[in-house]
Amino acid sequence: MLVVSLEQAVAVPYATRLLADLGARVVKVERPDGGDFARHYDHACGDVSSYFAWTNAGKESLTLDLKHPAGREVLDRLVSSADVVLCNLSPGAARRIGVDADTLRAQHLTLVVGELSGYGDAGPYAERKAYDALVQSEAGLVELTGEGDVTARAGISVADIAAGVQLQSAVLAALLHRARTGEGATLRLSLFEAMAEWMHQPMLYATGTGRAAPRTGAHHPSIAPYGPFACRDGAVHLAVQNDPQWRRLCAVLGRPSLADDPRFTTVSSRVEHRPALHAELDFSGWTAADLLTALDEADVPAARTRGVAELPDHPQLVARERGVRVAVPGGEVGMLRPSVDSSAWVAAPGPVPALGEHTDHVLRTLGYSDDDIADLRRRKAV
């Protein structure tokens, strides 16, 4: 399966990275003068950013000037052999250069075309810039995130991730539809609506109760004790979701009578008296490892609160051999294998492409000779 993607930033590149993980050949079309601007967000992975390395492993990079007639001809040839074309140029820009879904589907009836925009191609926000943090704010996530009067954006690009996952799923469904009917499909998705889908539960809570859930930091707004608690050498995150678990936690603490304190006998009463509850839960005499062992033995859900830099060496990932080394422009980095294991295929991240690394290869597969390629370069079409 050939996926052609006119992509930049995170959302669509993440969708196509997921498709590449499943075995698709993904050709990433980039501008000759710098390429995807996400290449340069930081310099954590050789010559490219951590964002770019994460979302572009396993792809081919083709540089094209889509405003040049010869560059556009290359794209036309490429699209004619594609199964899927994805785009997150602005709707106006896509229409101006004729790569919008309506134009491409009119020319290729069996093609699956997916367009990602910020807020959709209609409505009062259609022309507004939409970046991840802005979408988090508009969808209400920032209101829920933080503690007390302090709000915060989520620590990762959740709007982009939501859109990428939903777009990948829609592409797979469209390909199944095509296999059954012979018809292609047009897919349209916005960052805002993808994030709004993920906000269903807090939305339903707020509309059903008349108030948004309170900001409680890393603690759960409607369950307690549910959050990180300090130990002698770090923190352990409790997730006590019912009364039997609460009683077992009290036994671990050596204070079984605490379970019968009228302030703490039910989930709702523990939430109501959260400050008093937290004052009673003193783990300062425990190491995190010893506390986790005791909680595991008592069947009380808990986890270690770890730093993100510890993730590659997490004992579960190491035991399951999830780590791999992946080539990036200028070096090599440690990444993780795709999270889904399959009996039907073996997936591992491919190299992260340098800008235009596969231009000549892609052109040759489209029938261009070496002289043709030299001419395209002379004319600065690629």
Side-chain angles (χ1 to χ4, degrees):
M1 179 178 73
L2 174 60
V3 177
V4 176
S5 195
L6 293 87
E7 61 180 29
Q8 55 193 0
V10 176
V12 170
Y14 185 52
T16 54
R17 207 298 311 275
L18 294 173
L19 292 169
D21 287 347
L22 297 177
R25 179 190 175 202
V26 178
V27 176
K28 179 184 182 76
V29 179
E30 300 189 70
R31 296 176 293 106
D33 58 340
D36 183 344
F37 55 78
R39 283 182 176 272
H40 314 296
Y41 279 163
D42 58 56
H43 302 285
C45 298
D47 297 333
V48 298
S49 73
S50 51
Y51 282 92
F52 192 86
W54 164 48
T55 58
N56 290 281
K59 301 180 187 178
E60 301 173 27
S61 173
L62 166 69
T63 51
L64 288 180
D65 181 353
L66 296 179
K67 297 180 181 179
H68 194 295
R72 180 52 202 266
E73 181 186 347
V74 172
L75 181 65
D76 289 341
R77 285 202 204 183
L78 186 60
V79 168
S80 68
S81 60
D83 298 285
V84 178
V85 175
L86 300 182
C87 177
N88 69 341
L89 304 179
S90 70
R95 286 191 291 270
R96 283 193 297 273
I97 59 176
V99 295
D100 58 288
D102 291 342
T103 299
L104 294 180
R105 285 292 317 288
Q107 298 167 347
H108 308 280
L109 297 180
T110 63
L111 194 62
V112 173
V113 181
E115 291 183 336
L116 177 79
S117 62
Y119 290 101
D121 58 3
Y125 279 40
E127 300 302 321
R128 180 171 286 188
K129 296 290 187 185
Y131 302 129
D132 186 89
L134 305 181
V135 171
Q136 288 188 39
S137 284
E138 288 284 353
L141 181 58
V142 169
E143 181 197 24
L144 299 180
T145 308
E147 187 167 10
D149 295 330
V150 178
T151 60
R153 61 174 283 275
I156 58 174
S157 300
V158 289
D160 289 301
I161 295 168
V165 170
Q166 292 170 41
L167 182 57
Q168 181 228 16
S169 297
V171 167
L172 297 177
L175 290 170
L176 181 59
H177 169 79
R178 187 178 73 172
R180 289 172 172 168
T181 67
E183 299 174 349
T186 297
L187 310 172
R188 290 190 173 95
L189 175 68
S190 75
L191 277 180
F192 178 64
E193 287 157 4
M195 188 75 261
E197 161 58 29
W198 278 20
M199 292 295 292
H200 256 103
Q201 180 274 321
M203 177 188 74
L204 293 171
Y205 178 92
T207 56
T209 64
R211 64 185 187 279
R215 287 185 292 275
T216 53
H219 292 268
H220 198 288
S222 54
I223 307 173
Y226 197 123
F229 291 83
C231 300
R232 198 165 70 214
D233 59 349
V236 165
H237 199 114
L238 298 179
V240 177
Q241 301 190 77
N242 56 51
D243 297 334
Q245 291 174 357
W246 165 240
R247 288 190 171 277
R248 295 197 294 273
L249 173 64
C250 293
V252 169
L253 281 169
R255 300 181 61 192
S257 62
L258 186 62
D260 297 316
D261 187 311
R263 297 172 298 173
F264 310 139
T265 52
T266 66
V267 172
S268 59
S269 66
R270 290 193 291 275
V271 171
E272 182 182 356
H273 298 98
R274 191 193 305 269
L277 173 71
H278 286 190
E280 297 285 354
L281 299 179
D282 181 8
F283 301 105
S284 59
W286 295 77
T287 67
D290 288 345
L291 178 58
L292 274 175
T293 297
L295 293 172
D296 285 344
E297 291 174 351
D299 193 24
V300 176
R304 184 78 178 265
T305 300
R306 300 176 185 270
V308 66
E310 300 176 72
L311 186 58
D313 298 319
H314 192 288
Q316 187 68 7
L317 294 176
V318 171
R320 290 176 50 77
E321 300 180 338
R322 305 307 298 187
V324 292
R325 301 296 295 177
V326 175
V328 299
E332 186 180 78
V333 296
M335 295 179 68
L336 300 173
R337 291 194 286 115
S339 54
V340 176
D341 291 328
S342 171
S343 62
W345 64 81
V346 176
V352 176
L355 179 61
E357 178 180 347
H358 302 90
T359 297
D360 288 6
H361 168 71
V362 173
L363 291 172
R364 289 190 183 100
T365 65
L366 296 175
Y368 288 88
S369 68
D370 288 347
D371 288 342
D372 294 332
I373 295 171
D375 184 58
L376 288 170
R377 291 194 180 281
R378 181 183 59 79
R379 297 162 65 191
K380 298 184 178 180
V382 301

